[in-house]
């Protein structure tokens, strides 16, 4: 149901469409109208056709128009289908003879327009729209439209053929649905009455599908397979079983024939079949076919098939293992001599593919990504360590470090320096860190990762992947004491060089990595010391002056984490640096020309404030951070500042107050002290100023924080914190509201101070929050706005070049 | 056509091509690695080096205390460093007509070739090659002459003694051909024989061949050479680069359609990508400076240093090196930096266009103006008073055996804060550092070699498709240390011809054609008969006049009747005797019509036998054989001249006379 105010607009739109259809140019207006019509079929219980009889006139005139535009005709067909979607509308259209006029081939006065794909598409879409009740189906059957639909399955236009498939599947589906039963006859019954007429329709469709599967024409086979997978996934019984029984033989022929280009559609069919109860019926042979699929065809298809099998949800373990073995073959082929006879046959195919650069790369990428996927699900590999080792071996081959290659004498020199395989391999190596059994391999893994980190030819993206993998493996290594020695002796020297890299991307990822590693090792007593003694902390500090904004931001993040780590373990060590760190952070926040470093500074302060160990002398800087962050040009800095304010507010107002000083007056409540503290830090000014910020997300965040303040400070009404209105952004707004409220009784020209409870009350935060949560585009996307646009486009005499959608 | 290989060094080639009566030397590189067997020449007295113990064999039988010194477990020759010259016995160097120089690194042996050898030819090089080559030679001479050695060690070279020496000295070959550095006098004399050429300029050599330099993209003025006659083309590819550095880009298309391509000067470190190495160089430099240490970069005074300075110029601010002084110390530092700015036409387009702005093409001008880069001829003088640490010093020689670098090694070697970064690929850094052990300073090896790598060269060869490729032997096999890297060698079809020092290769193509000019009056007199469309033939009687490898057909001058004279005529003045040319026959004898003709003339019994080149007709009754082949017809008919003549006339009926 639409809003009543739109009804009038709908009327205007239909009239305009009727009278000006030849003058319409903007297709998007049609689509917009189509999108909204389904919701507008029934207004106040009346069908749209009854409300807008001019629509009938419109359909009739378009169909009878000799020189109708194909876009208009297409639109009309879709509209007719839409209007015929209700039985009432269908009857009205039938009575007027408009259904036959629109959907029978001889119905239009411009039959040549059938050659336009958009018209055929509109025709199909129209039929699809009508398929909502039994009468529609009868209309299709009686007028022999099934034949046309079967013909359109092989239409040269992909959109048309796929739509034809969809209509056919919908017909089959519809016949088995409860909608088919006459509402009066079979109310509540789930059984569908499949009369002889309907059996003949379904048989016709199924027969056509079976014939197409046996066809020698490749596109026809593909279309039939597409339809088959659609039927399997969308249709219920008995259609599904009927169809499967008939297609089983041609399907087997196709699978055993092993045509490479059919692998994907065939797998889609099997994938759909696996998800149905057919899987559990032994005579349906779903698993046999899947297995045959894996074993048939040439090597390349078999890998593609294996990758698809692995992604099947309900796949028997035996088959899955087989598929995984195939996925692992290329990697195993690099490291060991294959033993199995069946594998040996594949090995010949493999050797050929591995010796050619492009096929080798795609094969290895498939294999690696397959392993990564499996690792994400923690799949129990039979020989996990050998899988991990073969990934490492591949990575060493790619970096050119390996002195002897595979036992197959395949020349793999084309892999040296291949970034694609390196990146994918490093991802896989990272993913394999989830297995506890791999912990023994940590030294070997870091040997490979170090090679990449030290290799001057490593591409920046490869280095990033190496660092990402390293973070995951650091986590694996963290319980062992030898980690610290490795970090100080091997890892930090390699990272030190990378922090001086010419490429900013590398410096950036290295600093990001150090931050992540420091966070991961938070609580490790030795790490903080290594960070300090190795000189890495000084390097991080010097990176704060990098020329690249992103690097400075990452350096800020890394310093932030390092400080957190140091303050926990070696507060004394930190003391000498802290003043310098805070002043450099403040300098970045107030002077840096780029937003990223400034955002990072605020985030660092937030993280320090959140930490369990309070940073000495932090509260002296907070006021400046809130003030600089709140006045920043970058809205994200402001958001981060509000997040800092959030943490500060929570710490101060909850029972364990943050650095609350003992009040001078014993009468002051804890709440008042806390609020005064927040006021002194500038937090209240920040929230109120942000509430009237020009950026909506900032206002929204500030509003939610003020609401939170109201919740946290339950007794806010009783506090006597007074805010200074003058000189603040928010002052004017609040001041005027205040004056309105007083109804100018005292005719005050200006006010200076308002109490906090008054301010909170005056603002009507709940209503503000409601408005702010609506996204800024909610206005332009409303049906009302859409229809106004349609009217506007109709009224425009000149072509509307700019499409505002 | 022959190629004499006087050097086996792939990047310091010295080959001689004998091509159409000309003898062309292609480059004359000097292998300085021999100097690594010598002790460094310190500029300032070094107590460490002066106190090294002399070497005496364990049994005391050989005492070479004055010639050999032991240092860190190795034995070095205590004498002025010597160099390994190109082979001088394989070929008489006085027969060389021209020397083509491809870049300034490949001409360092020039004085050894042109001086005191009877060489009377011409040397061709581009202007930057000559000028920068001169600087490098001057620098080398200055390095040697600044630190004269009173004695020259010669005894150790005695074959009987040498074999008793410890490794590696005992394994060194041809030590007798090693020579001390040349003098400035010899340099000047050698360079006075250089004639300047520009890219694509064609130089005629004795009318026989034409040589032309092409840009090779490796260094300022570096060239590859095309040596061609009318029908043959030899390309000589020396140090070339496809990277975008400062020189003009490489001209590849002109190398197409070569009969032979002599390929030398590929990268010496194929596994080190120059970009990656440059990155390593910068990060190591930055790390050392951050930690308060000094950086020493042993380098040549021209070439990669320009790119290093440019890279540092861009990197300095990001690495907070803005206040770190950079010093460039070389006797020719000033000239090298200035020369680089004035050879605008030899630079890449990007740098050329700067000249019109006008801006200096290289940013080191700005570094000098802002006092960030300072250059000095030596560590003596101004440098010692202005020197500030931590700093970065660029100085020679990269072998660490002579030059100012020796001083810095002694000065900074003891501190682990300092770093030496090797960027030149010509020397093994471990060998170079051997006499300085034990060494506390950090060593980083970042060889930057911008020359073609194997991947680039295979692409290039696919593109230009030479018929034959000749290359140094090491290019035909993977590096010895990495036998699995089959990608680091040349794999071509047909396989390249490999050479080593002292090889003499017969190049696999024959001269088949010569161009001969017809004088117009002779051309006018020709009577052409068209053999087939577009092909006409005429007989010509003329005198072939050959001079300076140019051949001209001149009309025969009919001798005027000479009055009888009693004087004895000089034989040489006799005009050639003019004979009427025998008519030339063209055409083919078709089998079937010929058989019909024989039949018509009463020869009935003919047995025809097919052969590879045609047919043999056996006239059985007459016992005559007639061979009909594509290139000739033979009538074998003994003892019956009339029959032979009759048969001949029958054959002639099918042929045309010209």
């Amino acid at each position: 149901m639409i809003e009543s105010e739109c009804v009038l607009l709908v009327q205007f739109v239909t009239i305009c469409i009727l009278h000006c259809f030849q003058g319409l140019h903007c297709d998007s207006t049609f689509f917009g109208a189509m999108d909204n019509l389904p919701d507008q079929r029934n207004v106040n219980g009346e069908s749209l056709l009854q409300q807008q009889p001019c629509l009938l006139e419109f359909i009739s005139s378009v169909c009878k128009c000799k020189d109708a535009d194909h876009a208009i005709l297409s639109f009309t067909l879709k509209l007719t289908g839409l209007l015929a979607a209700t039985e009432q509308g269908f009857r009205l259209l039938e009575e007027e003879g408009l259904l036959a006029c629109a959907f029978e081939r001889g119905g239009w006065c411009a039959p040549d327009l059938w050659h336009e794909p958009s018209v055929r598409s509109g025709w199909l879409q129209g039929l699809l729209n009508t398929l909502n009740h039994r009468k529609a189906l009868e209309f299709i059957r009686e007028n022999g439209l099934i034949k046309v639909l079967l013909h359109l399955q092989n239409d040269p236009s992909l959109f048309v053929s796929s739509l034809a498939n969809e209509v056919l599947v919908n017909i089959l589906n519809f016949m088995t649905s409860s909608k088919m039963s006459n509402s009066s006859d079979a109310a509540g019954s789930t059984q569908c009455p499949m009369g002889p007429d309907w059996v003949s329709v379904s048989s016709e469709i199924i027969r056509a599908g079976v014939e197409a599967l046996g066809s020698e024409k490749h596109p026809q086979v593909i279309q039939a397979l597409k339809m088959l997978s659609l039927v399997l996934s969308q249709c219920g019984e008995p259609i599904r079983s009927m169809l499967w029984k008939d297609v089983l033989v041609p399907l087997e022929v196709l699978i055993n024939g092993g045509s490479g280009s059919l692998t994907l559609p065939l797998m889609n069919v099997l994938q759909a079949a696996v998800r149905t109860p057919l899987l559990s019926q032994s005579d349906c042979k779903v698993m046999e076919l899947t297995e045959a699929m894996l074993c048939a065809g040439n090597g390349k298809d078999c890998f593609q098939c294996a990758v698809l099998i692995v992604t099947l949800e309900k796949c028997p373990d035996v088959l899955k293992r087989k598929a995984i073995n195939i996925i692992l073959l290329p990697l195993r082929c690099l490291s060991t001599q294959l033993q199995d006879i069946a594998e040996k046959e594949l090995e010949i195919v493999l050797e050929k593919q591995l010796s050619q650069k492009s096929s080798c790369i795609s094969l290895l990428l498939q294999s690696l990504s397959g392993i990564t996927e499996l690792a994400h699900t923690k799949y129990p590999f039979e020989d996990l360590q050998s899988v991990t080792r073969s990934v490492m071996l591949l990575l060493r081959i790619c970096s050119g470090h390996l002195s002897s290659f595979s036992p197959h004498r395949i020349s793999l020199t084309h892999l040296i320096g291949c970034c694609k395989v390196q990146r994918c391999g490093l991802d896989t190596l990272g993913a394999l860190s989830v297995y506890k059994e791999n912990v023994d391999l940590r030294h070997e893994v870091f040997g490979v990762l170090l090679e990449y980190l030290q290799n001057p030819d490593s591409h920046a993206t490869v280095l990033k992947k190496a660092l990402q993998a390293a973070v995951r493996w650091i986590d694996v290594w963290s319980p062992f004491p030898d980690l610290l020695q490795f970090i100080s002796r091997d890892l930090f020297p390699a990272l030190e060089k990378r922090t001086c890299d010419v490429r900013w991307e590398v410096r950036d990822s290295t600093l990001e990595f150090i931050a992540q590693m420091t966070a991961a090792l938070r609580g490790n007593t030795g790490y903080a010391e290594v960070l300090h003694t190795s000189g890495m902390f000084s390097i991080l500090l010097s990176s704060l002056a990098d020329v690249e904004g992103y690097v400075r931001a990452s350096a800020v993040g890394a310093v932030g984490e390092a400080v957190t780590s140091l303050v926990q373990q070696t507060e004394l060590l930190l003391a000498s640096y802290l003043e310098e760190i805070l002043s450099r952070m403040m300098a970045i926040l107030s002077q840096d020309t780029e937003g990223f470093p400034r955002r990072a500074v605020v985030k660092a302060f937030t993280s320090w404030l959140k930490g369990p160990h309070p940073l000495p002398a932090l509260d002296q800087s907070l006021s400046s951070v809130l003030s600089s962050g709140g006045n920043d040009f970058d809205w994200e800095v402001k958001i981060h500042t509000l997040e800092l304010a959030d943490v500060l507010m929570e710490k101060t107002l909850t029972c364990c107050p943050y650095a609350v000083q003992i009040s001078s007056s014993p009468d002051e409540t804890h709440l008042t002290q806390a609020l005064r503290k927040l006021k002194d830090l500038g937090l209240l000014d920040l929230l109120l100023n942000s509430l009237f910020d020009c950026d909506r997300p900032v206002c929204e965040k500030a509003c939610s924080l003020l609401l939170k303040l109201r919740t946290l400070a339950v007794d806010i009404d009783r506090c006597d914190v007074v805010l200074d209105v003058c000189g603040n952004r928010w002052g004017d707004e609040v001041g005027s509201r205040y004056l309105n409220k007083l109804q100018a009784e005292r005719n005050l020209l200006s006010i200076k101070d308002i109490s906090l409870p008054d301010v909170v009350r005056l603002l009507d935060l709940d209503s503000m929050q409601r408005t702010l949560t609506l996204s800024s585009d909610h206005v332009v996307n409303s049906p009302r706005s859409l229809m106004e646009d349609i009217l506007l486009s109709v009224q425009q005499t000149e072509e509307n070049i700019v499409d505002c959608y | 056509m022959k190629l004499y290989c006087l050097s086996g060094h792939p990047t310091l080639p010295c080959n001689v091509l004998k091509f159409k009566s000309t003898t062309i030397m292609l480059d004359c590189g000097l292998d300085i690695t021999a100097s690594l067997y010598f002790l460094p020449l310190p500029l300032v007295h070094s107590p460490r080096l002066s106190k090294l113990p002399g070497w005496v064999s364990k049994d005391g039988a050989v005492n070479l205390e004055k010639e050999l010194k032991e240092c860190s477990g190795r034995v070095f020759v205590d004498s002025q460093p010597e160099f390994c010259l190109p082979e001088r016995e394989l070929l008489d160097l006085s027969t060389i007509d021209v020397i083509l120089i491809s870049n300034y690194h490949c001409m360092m042996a020039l004085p050894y070739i042109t001086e005191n050898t009877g060489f009377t030819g011409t040397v061709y090089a581009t202007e930057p090659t000559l000028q920068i080559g001169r600087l490098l030679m001057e620098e080398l001479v200055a390095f040697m002459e600044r630190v004269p050695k009173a004695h020259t060690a010669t005894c150790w070279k005695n074959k009987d003694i040498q074999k008793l020496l410890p490794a590696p000295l005992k394994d060194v070959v041809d030590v007798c051909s090693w020579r001390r550095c040349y003098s400035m006098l010899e340099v000047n004399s050698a360079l006075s024989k250089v004639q300047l050429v520009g890219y694509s300029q064609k130089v005629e050599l004795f009318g026989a061949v034409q040589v032309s330099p092409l840009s090779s993209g490796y260094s300022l003025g570096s060239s590859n050479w095309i040596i061609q006659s009318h029908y043959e083309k030899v390309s000589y590819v020396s140090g070339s680069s496809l990277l975008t550095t400062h020189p003009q880009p490489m001209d590849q298309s002109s190398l197409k359609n070569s009969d032979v391509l002599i390929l030398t000067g590929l990268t010496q470190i194929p596994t080190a990508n120059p970009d990656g190495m440059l990155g390593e160089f910068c990060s190591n430099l930055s790390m050392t400076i951050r930690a308060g240490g000094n950086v020493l970069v042993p380098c040549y005074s021209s070439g990669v240093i320009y790119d290093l300075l440019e890279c540092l110029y861009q990197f300095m601010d990001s690495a907070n090196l803005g206040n770190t002084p950079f010093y460039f110390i070389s006797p020719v530092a000033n000239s090298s930096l200035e020369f680089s700015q004035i050879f605008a036409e030899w630079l890449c387009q990007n740098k050329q266009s700067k000249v019109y702005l006008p801006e200096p093409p290289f940013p080191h001008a700005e570094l000098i103006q802002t006092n960030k880069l300072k250059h000095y001829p030596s560590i003596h003088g101004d440098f010692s008073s202005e020197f500030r640490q931590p700093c970065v010093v660029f100085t020679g020689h990269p072998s660490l055996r002579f030059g100012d670098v020796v001083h810095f090694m002694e000065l900074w070697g003891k501190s682990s804060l300092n770093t030496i970064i090797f960027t030149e690929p010509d020397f093994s850094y471990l060998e170079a550092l051997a006499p300085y052990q034990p060494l506390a300073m950090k060593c980083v090896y970042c060889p930057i070699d911008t020359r073609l790598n194997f991947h680039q060269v295979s692409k290039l060869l696919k593109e230009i498709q030479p018929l034959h490729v000749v290359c140094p032997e090491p290019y035909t096999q993977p590096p010895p240390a990495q036998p699995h890297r089959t990608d680091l060698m040349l794999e071509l079809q047909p396989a390249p011809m490999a050479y080593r020092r002292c090889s003499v290769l017969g190049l696999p193509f024959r001269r088949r054609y010569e161009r001969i000019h017809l004088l117009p009056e002779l051309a006018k007199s020709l009577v052409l008969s068209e053999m087939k469309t577009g092909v006409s033939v005429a007989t010509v009687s003329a005198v072939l006049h050959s001079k300076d490898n140019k051949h001209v057909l001149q009309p025969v001058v009919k001798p005027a009747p000479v009055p009888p004279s009693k004087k004895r005529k000089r034989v040489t003045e006799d005009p050639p005797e003019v004979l009427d040319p025998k008519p030339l026959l063209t055409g083919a004898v078709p089998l079937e019509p010929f058989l019909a003709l024989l039949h018509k003339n009463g020869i009935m019994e003919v047995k025809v036998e097919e052969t590879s080149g045609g047919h043999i007709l056996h006239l059985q009754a007459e016992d005559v054989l007639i061979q009909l082949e594509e290139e000739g017809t033979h009538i074998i008919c003994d003892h019956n001249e009339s029959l032979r003549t009759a048969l001949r006339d029958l054959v002639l009926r099918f042929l045309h006379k010209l």
Side-chain angles (χ1 to χ4, degrees), chain B residues 616-652:
Chain B
I616 295 178
L617 276 50
H618 187 196
L619 281 47
Q620 287 176 325
E622 294 80 9
D623 195 20
V624 170
L625 286 176
I626 303 175
Q627 287 179 322
L628 294 179
E629 285 174 346
E630 206 175 320
E631 290 182 358
T633 303
H634 298 274
I635 301 166
I636 303 159
C637 172
D638 296 333
H639 319 299
N640 191 346
E641 183 59 16
S642 61
L643 178 61
R644 190 192 70 80
T645 319
L647 288 171
R648 184 200 66 190
D649 292 341
L650 291 180
V651 168
L652 286 177

Side-chain angles (χ1 to χ4, degrees), chain A residues 402-403 416 456-457 497 500 547, chain B residues 273 280 283 287 318 484-485:
Chain A
L402 210 63
S403 55
I416 296 172
D457 291 335
K497 202 194 290 177
C500 298
V547 277
Chain B
N273 168 24
E280 281 289 287
S283 32
M287 259 166 67
S318 65
H484 65 289
R485 295 295 298 265

Side-chain angles (χ1 to χ4, degrees), chain B residues 142-170:
Chain B
F143 282 157
M144 296 295 173
E145 292 182 352
R146 271 194 324 202
V147 195
K149 279 264 179 186
H151 303 286
T152 303
T154 51
C155 298
W156 72 277
K157 290 185 183 176
N158 182 310
K159 275 186 181 162
D160 295 329
I161 296 177
Q162 197 201 346
K163 64 186 175 191
L164 301 172
L165 300 180
L169 280 179
K170 69 170 179 184

Side-chain angles (χ1 to χ4, degrees), chain B residues 124-145:
Chain B
Y124 289 100
T126 60
E127 193 181 358
T129 302
L130 169 67
Q131 301 301 354
I132 298 173
R134 181 194 294 278
L135 291 182
L136 292 180
M137 288 181 183
E138 274 177 21
E139 186 189 47
L140 194 63
V141 174
F143 282 157
M144 296 295 173
E145 292 182 352

Side-chain angles (χ1 to χ4, degrees), chain B residues 199-237:
Chain B
Y199 286 148
S200 303
Q201 181 185 335
K202 292 187 168 68
V203 180
E204 285 270 339
L205 302 183
F206 317 114
V209 294
Q210 214 177 43
V211 294
S212 175
L214 308 170
S215 171
S216 77
Y218 170 53
S219 57
L220 273 177
S222 68
S223 18
N224 293 320
W225 290 87
I226 299 287
I227 304 146
Q228 60 186 340
S229 66
H230 292 301
Y231 297 102
E232 296 96 6
K233 180 172 174 182
V234 178
S235 300
Y236 173 57
V237 172

Side-chain angles (χ1 to χ4, degrees), chain A residues 30-326:
Chain A
F30 296 145
F31 297 129
M34 298 296 292
D35 288 342
N36 280 277
L37 275 172
D39 295 334
Q40 297 160 19
R41 284 192 302 261
N42 291 295
V43 181
N44 302 328
E46 277 190 309
S47 103
L48 191 62
L49 273 175
Q50 282 169 322
Q51 280 198 340
Q52 309 293 339
C54 57
L55 280 172
L56 295 171
E57 200 186 322
F58 168 71
I59 295 168
S60 160
S61 31
V62 172
C63 291
K64 285 176 185 161
C65 179
K66 283 182 183 166
D67 49 358
D69 184 78
H70 63 88
I72 303 284
L73 181 58
S74 175
F75 169 76
T76 310
L77 292 170
K78 287 180 205 169
L79 179 70
T80 312
L82 210 55
L83 295 169
T86 59
E87 287 192 49
Q88 199 182 10
F90 189 91
R91 203 174 49 248
L92 271 171
L93 284 166
E94 203 172 28
E95 280 166 12
E96 296 291 324
L98 287 181
L99 274 180
C101 188
F103 292 110
E104 279 182 33
R105 289 283 299 278
W108 318 329
C109 288
D112 286 349
L113 284 178
W114 182 254
H115 299 300
E116 283 291 332
S118 64
V119 172
R120 297 200 295 278
S121 167
W123 186 83
L124 286 164
Q125 191 67 55
L127 280 187
L128 194 62
N129 291 340
T130 59
L131 276 174
N132 223 17
H133 48 83
R134 189 185 178 118
K135 281 199 157 103
L137 202 57
E138 277 172 2
F139 172 76
I140 291 175
R141 184 178 61 79
E142 283 164 8
N143 288 289
L145 299 187
I146 297 285
K147 274 204 167 54
V148 186
L149 286 169
L150 288 171
H151 182 73
L152 287 178
Q153 248 194 319
N154 299 310
D155 197 89
S157 158
L158 278 179
F159 294 104
V160 174
S161 60
S162 120
L163 205 51
N165 258 342
E166 206 179 323
V167 176
L168 286 168
V169 171
N170 263 277
I171 289 172
L172 287 176
N173 204 18
F174 191 72
M175 286 191 299
T176 58
S177 74
S178 57
K179 286 181 189 171
M180 265 301 285
S181 55
N182 192 317
S183 51
S184 55
D185 299 343
S189 164
T190 52
Q191 290 295 315
C192 64
M194 289 274 283
D197 293 342
W198 305 119
V199 172
S200 75
V201 169
S202 60
S203 309
E204 190 180 355
I205 297 174
I206 291 173
R207 198 171 51 245
V210 174
E211 274 171 23
L213 282 181
S215 161
E216 286 179 0
K217 289 178 187 163
H218 204 72
Q220 281 192 22
V221 181
I222 291 181
Q223 283 306 327
L225 287 170
K226 278 185 184 168
M227 192 181 88
L228 186 54
S229 40
L230 279 176
V231 171
L232 288 170
S233 54
Q234 292 180 13
C235 295
E237 293 296 349
I239 293 292
R240 191 165 50 209
S241 294
M242 274 166 62
L243 182 66
W244 186 254
K245 200 175 68 198
D246 288 353
V247 298
L248 198 54
V249 176
L251 212 53
E252 270 181 311
V253 172
L254 283 176
I255 287 173
N256 293 326
S259 166
S261 55
L262 292 179
T263 308
L264 207 58
L266 276 170
M267 275 314 294
N268 286 341
V269 170
L270 292 174
Q271 219 163 353
V274 166
R275 293 198 180 108
T276 65
L278 296 172
L279 179 70
S280 51
Q281 296 166 23
S282 60
D283 57 331
C284 290
K285 296 184 178 175
V286 177
M287 271 306 126
E288 282 96 322
L289 285 181
T290 317
E291 198 169 345
M293 186 79 198
L294 191 64
C295 303
N298 61 38
K300 202 175 167 187
D301 301 335
C302 136
F303 288 107
Q304 203 176 359
C305 180
V307 172
L308 288 169
I309 286 177
V310 171
T311 56
L312 292 180
E313 287 153 23
K314 293 177 190 169
C315 181
D317 275 352
V318 183
L319 186 61
K320 194 165 189 173
R321 202 163 298 131
K322 255 188 189 176
I324 288 168
N325 277 341
I326 289 177

Side-chain angles (χ1 to χ4, degrees), chain A residues 400 402-405 411 413 416 454 456-457 493 496-502 507 539 542-543 545-547, chain B residues 271-280 282-284 286-287 290 311 315 317-318 320 482 484-487:
Chain A
L402 210 63
S403 55
S404 61
F405 278 158
S411 172
T413 47
I416 296 172
Q454 288 165 343
D457 291 335
E496 192 186 342
K497 202 194 290 177
R498 292 293 169 209
T499 58
C500 298
D501 203 282
V502 187
R507 300 199 298 274
I539 291 168
S542 58
S543 295
D546 200 283
V547 277
Chain B
T271 48
N273 168 24
D275 283 339
M277 287 297 133
L278 208 55
E280 281 289 287
C282 290
S283 32
N284 280 297
S286 162
M287 259 166 67
R290 268 188 189 184
C311 179
F315 179 66
D317 292 328
S318 65
N320 300 322
Q482 292 161 301
H484 65 289
R485 295 295 298 265
T486 48
D487 55 326

Side-chain angles (χ1 to χ4, degrees), chain B residues 573-601:
Chain B
E573 285 178 357
D574 275 350
E577 193 185 353
V578 180
L579 299 172
D580 282 335
K582 284 186 179 175
L584 295 173
L585 299 171
T586 67
V589 183
L591 181 66
E592 290 305 325
F594 183 58
L595 287 175
L597 191 62
L598 288 175
H599 195 262
K600 206 172 167 187
N601 285 278

